[in-house]
Amino acid sequence: MKKICLMVLALIVLNSCTKNFEEINTNPNQITDKMLEQDFNLVGSSFSVMLFNLMGHQIEEDLCYDNWMGYMGSPTPYVAGVNNTTYYLRWIDAYWNRIYGSVMSPSKQVIQLAEEKELPLFGDWAKLVRILAISKLTAIYGPVIYSNYGTPGLGSIKYDKESDLYNNLFTQLDEIETNFKANTSYTGFTKFDPSYKGNIASWLKLLNSVRFRLAMRLVKVSPTVAQTQGEKALADPVGLISTNAENFLISLNGEVMPVSMISFDWNDTRMGATMESFMVGLKDGRMNKYFAEVSDASLVTDHPAYKYKGIRSGAFINAKDDRVSYSTVSTDFKSVQNRRGFTASEIAFLKAEAALRGWANAGDAKTNYENGVRLSFADWGAAGVDAYLTDATSKPINYIDPKDSKNNFTALSTITIAWDAGDSNELKLEKIITQKYLATFTNTLEAWVDFRRTGYPKIPHVAKNDSSPDWGVITADQWIKRLVFVPAERTGNTAAVAEAATFLSSGKDDIASRLWWDTTTPGNF
């Protein structure tokens, strides 16, 4: 009887426990799908993270195109000094994984949910973020997985040929533009949008700006498409990003600016020698907004009035401590809350190039060029732009590494700043792209794109070239062209990778293969 009573008591207790099990064991701070349905949270909550992941960090940027383009240089001899910065690949897949894991995957879910919840504009917004992401990814690898991404039942997921990809992106921009223009007063994005606070007109200006940027990429390989798409962006009454107040800023979501973390917390990056050559030589007023002066005067005996010292791309480095005393980035970066994703100065320089090419509605090349410089100086809070724009004598300087003369170089560029109507279009373009290069600090991928498609700015080769047949040989007169397809794809999507390699100019998946728009045609006009 005693046992029966105990069993009954246990059942009562068990029943009382299980009766409120869901309520008791639900984390009161955890957001459920049901709760997220309120105020569009279920479809909107992913956007700040997707936008954040459009940009990279140390491996994706600092040790790749930040270094290759001479913006930054590493004092650290990673892997015995043989690494991405010297053209022997150690890191290949970081940005690929970031884009597919943190942008393409969540955007797929958003697009599906937007359809289910009958919130089509959220689907369009997610598609625009995808375009922002994939347009950056294809600039690094070339062929990428896009039109077939997320297609169920495919054993091998095919890559998009670049020519097909760009046509697809332009078509999707058309569709998104149509839907956004029909709903300019829509406010559903507001609380999920750290960049434009849900303003549809601002996103339309960014859309036009992206169209313009992508059009210019194709100017040598597909000039008719380039001009058609570029003129479409220029003619749109909504306009493009034209003031610094309209810049596309990407929130750091409370994180530390990557270049600040790498420079100050880890002591793993410093000013690039190419930036020293250009900025010291041209007496650039943005220098102290980008970088910090050195305290050791012996490092700058070649230009004591400008106390900045950089590290050459692919430098010969024995020990990290040798160059930790070189210029860090400016301490201002310790407190920034966002990154520049697209700026008015970039648009001004794109318009200057378009004007040289005779595109309709591009305006005057000189006016656009000078406006680009002015916008950049104002954006960075730099002084002296009027004197800078009239300087017709200052030129990039030769670089001297006080620690190892093997890293020295003679400046390849003899460019000056002041616009000269008598210059050839080729020289005018070099001025435009050089100033565009100097303006795009901390968002440097497009500078690598411009360099590959135009040959400008004229930058030195890496000091130490460790390229090999393992990843592709970069000859002494050339620069790295792309990253190779990632290991997981090479082993898990083998047939598709093999086909994608045939889309490349050389038919080889290596770092010497030019992307579709990176032609061998000499000159730009």
Side-chain angles (χ1 to χ4, degrees), residues 156-172:
S156 180
I157 305 174
K158 291 181 176 291
Y159 284 59
D160 291 68
K161 184 184 296 186
E162 289 173 88
S163 55
D164 295 337
L165 174 66
Y166 280 90
N167 286 333
N168 190 3
L169 296 182
F170 289 132
T171 298
Q172 289 193 337

Side-chain angles (χ1 to χ4, degrees), residues 214-483:
L214 298 185
M216 196 60 77
R217 282 189 192 175
L218 311 187
V219 73
K220 290 177 72 173
V221 70
S222 188
T224 301
V225 172
Q227 185 168 355
T228 298
Q229 292 296 328
E231 290 182 344
K232 182 172 185 176
L234 287 163
D236 194 290
V238 172
L240 303 119
I241 295 171
S242 59
T243 69
N244 286 326
E246 297 169 342
N247 287 349
F248 176 47
L249 302 179
I250 298 174
S251 173
L252 291 170
N253 293 344
E255 298 292 330
V256 177
M257 180 74 173
V259 75
S260 175
M261 181 181 295
I262 305 164
S263 185
F264 296 112
D265 296 358
W266 303 341
N267 277 327
D268 277 336
T269 199
R270 291 294 182 264
M271 179 186 199
T274 306
M275 287 296 270
E276 178 190 337
S277 172
F278 277 105
M279 299 194 91
V280 171
L282 298 177
K283 304 177 180 63
D284 198 301
R286 292 164 290 190
M287 196 157 23
N288 67 341
K289 301 299 180 180
Y290 294 1
F291 303 106
E293 292 184 343
V294 298
S295 57
D296 183 353
S298 70
L299 299 177
V300 290
T301 55
D302 53 328
H303 47 76
Y306 296 92
K307 297 179 173 59
Y308 299 89
K309 180 52 60 179
I311 300 174
R312 185 172 176 179
S313 303
F316 289 91
I317 296 173
N318 294 319
K320 178 174 180 175
D321 288 346
D322 289 347
R323 292 175 183 79
V324 168
S325 57
Y326 288 23
S327 291
T328 65
V329 292
S330 166
T331 55
D332 292 348
F333 287 107
K334 290 184 176 182
S335 58
V336 299
Q337 299 298 308
N338 49 54
R339 300 188 63 175
R340 292 165 174 81
F342 210 131
T343 64
S345 63
E346 181 182 343
I347 289 296
F349 292 124
L350 283 167
K351 289 176 71 175
E353 181 175 352
L356 287 185
R357 299 185 182 283
W359 291 7
N361 298 305
D364 175 68
K366 175 181 185 289
T367 302
N368 287 319
Y369 168 77
E370 293 182 348
N371 188 38
V373 175
R374 291 184 184 281
L375 283 164
S376 177
F377 269 65
D379 187 23
W380 288 97
V385 69
D386 290 334
Y388 185 80
L389 283 169
T390 58
D391 186 345
T393 57
S394 297
K395 298 178 181 180
I397 60 170
N398 299 333
Y399 169 75
I400 296 174
D401 184 351
K403 301 294 183 180
D404 191 337
S405 62
K406 292 196 298 295
N407 295 320
N408 295 355
F409 66 77
T410 300
L412 295 180
S413 178
T414 57
I415 201 74
T416 56
I417 303 162
W419 190 263
D420 186 342
D423 287 340
S424 67
N425 275 355
E426 198 68 47
L427 186 53
K428 288 174 180 175
L429 182 62
E430 183 184 354
K431 286 190 175 183
I432 292 166
I433 299 299
T434 299
Q435 285 299 324
K436 188 179 177 186
Y437 164 80
L438 293 172
T440 196
F441 186 58
T442 69
N443 185 20
T444 61
L445 178 57
E446 282 307 306
W448 188 32
V449 170
D450 286 339
F451 176 67
R452 286 174 288 170
R453 73 176 179 87
T454 69
Y456 304 129
K458 292 181 179 178
I459 62 174
H461 299 89
V462 291
K464 182 170 175 277
N465 185 338
D466 291 314
S467 65
S468 79
D470 291 353
W471 302 112
V473 175
I474 303 297
T475 55
D477 63 336
Q478 286 297 320
W479 294 260
I480 190 168
K481 306 299 182 185
R482 62 184 288 272
L483 284 182

Side-chain angles (χ1 to χ4, degrees), residues 146-205:
Y146 186 66
S147 59
N148 289 313
Y149 177 78
T151 303
L154 292 180
S156 180
I157 305 174
K158 291 181 176 291
Y159 284 59
D160 291 68
K161 184 184 296 186
E162 289 173 88
S163 55
D164 295 337
L165 174 66
Y166 280 90
N167 286 333
N168 190 3
L169 296 182
F170 289 132
T171 298
Q172 289 193 337
L173 287 172
D174 290 341
E175 295 166 353
I176 297 165
E177 180 182 16
T178 297
N179 294 336
F180 274 11
K181 283 185 173 179
N183 295 276
T184 54
S185 61
Y186 185 71
T187 59
F189 300 166
T190 304
K191 73 176 186 177
F192 310 109
D193 179 7
S195 297
Y196 289 129
K197 310 307 178 190
N199 186 291
I200 297 293
S202 295
W203 281 99
L204 279 166
K205 287 187 177 185

Side-chain angles (χ1 to χ4, degrees), residues 96 100 104 134 137 143-150 157-160 489 493:
W96 179 280
Y100 283 107
M104 292 296 287
I134 216 70
L137 195 71
V144 291
I145 297 169
Y146 186 66
S147 59
N148 289 313
Y149 177 78
I157 305 174
K158 291 181 176 291
Y159 284 59
D160 291 68
E489 284 289 300
N493 197 18

